[in-house]
Amino acid sequence: QVNLMESGGGSVQAGGSLRLSCSGSGYAYSSNCMGWFRQAPGKEREAVASILTDSEATNYAQSVKDRFTISQDKVRRTVYLQMDDLKPEDTAIYYCATGGVCNRFSWSDSSYFDIWGQGTQVTVSS
């Protein structure tokens, strides 16, 4: 059975930090493109970051670059999203997904990702 699950969400004040985790089973972890997306109320889902599990090449949305860091633990089949200097506009449900295309042209296209987690809420207060 294929599953993917996020954890680590919560409520923080602006300037604070959170680390999200994403782990799962039932799919090939190696040679895979893992991504983090988010969706705020009333807004479309947007790509946040991606990592290619073999090369560890990463991509970031401009809005989170230099504040968020995507990383992985291959042994644990877990991808992390370290979020620092959080801002109220980062408030959203954060989803991880696998199966995408991690080149710089396609990494943010959610239609390439075929397995999604249920999401974890991140709330940043001012």
Side-chain angles (χ1 to χ4, degrees):
Q1 185 176 359
V2 176
N3 67 80
L4 204 59
M5 183 174 293
E6 308 89 345
S7 63
S11 297
V12 296
Q13 290 191 326
S17 298
L18 283 173
R19 188 177 80 157
L20 306 183
S21 300
C22 171
S23 60
S25 60
Y27 61 94
Y29 186 82
S30 62
S31 302
N32 206 338
C33 177
M34 303 289 295
W36 283 99
F37 292 77
R38 66 186 182 186
Q39 187 165 21
K43 294 188 177 181
E44 292 187 356
R45 183 169 51 190
E46 63 173 347
V48 176
S50 72
I51 186 167
L52 192 57
T53 57
D54 282 357
S55 68
E56 299 196 325
T58 59
N59 292 286
Y60 294 94
Q62 194 62 38
S63 60
V64 306
K65 206 169 184 180
D66 299 326
R67 298 189 298 122
F68 291 10
T69 304
I70 190 170
S71 62
Q72 67 169 341
D73 182 328
K74 289 184 179 180
V75 173
R76 291 184 168 85
R77 295 168 55 98
T78 299
V79 174
Y80 303 100
L81 185 68
Q82 177 67 40
M83 306 185 295
D84 298 319
D85 189 23
L86 282 160
K87 303 176 180 181
E89 51 263 42
D90 295 318
T91 295
I93 299 175
Y94 283 71
Y95 301 89
C96 70
T98 183
V101 178
C102 266
N103 64 55
R104 63 190 180 97
F105 302 106
S106 303
W107 75 272
S108 60
D109 189 338
S110 62
S111 66
Y112 287 112
F113 291 82
D114 53 7
I115 302 171
W116 292 79
Q118 293 297 310
T120 185
Q121 177 71 48
V122 171
T123 302
V124 184
S125 58
S126 58

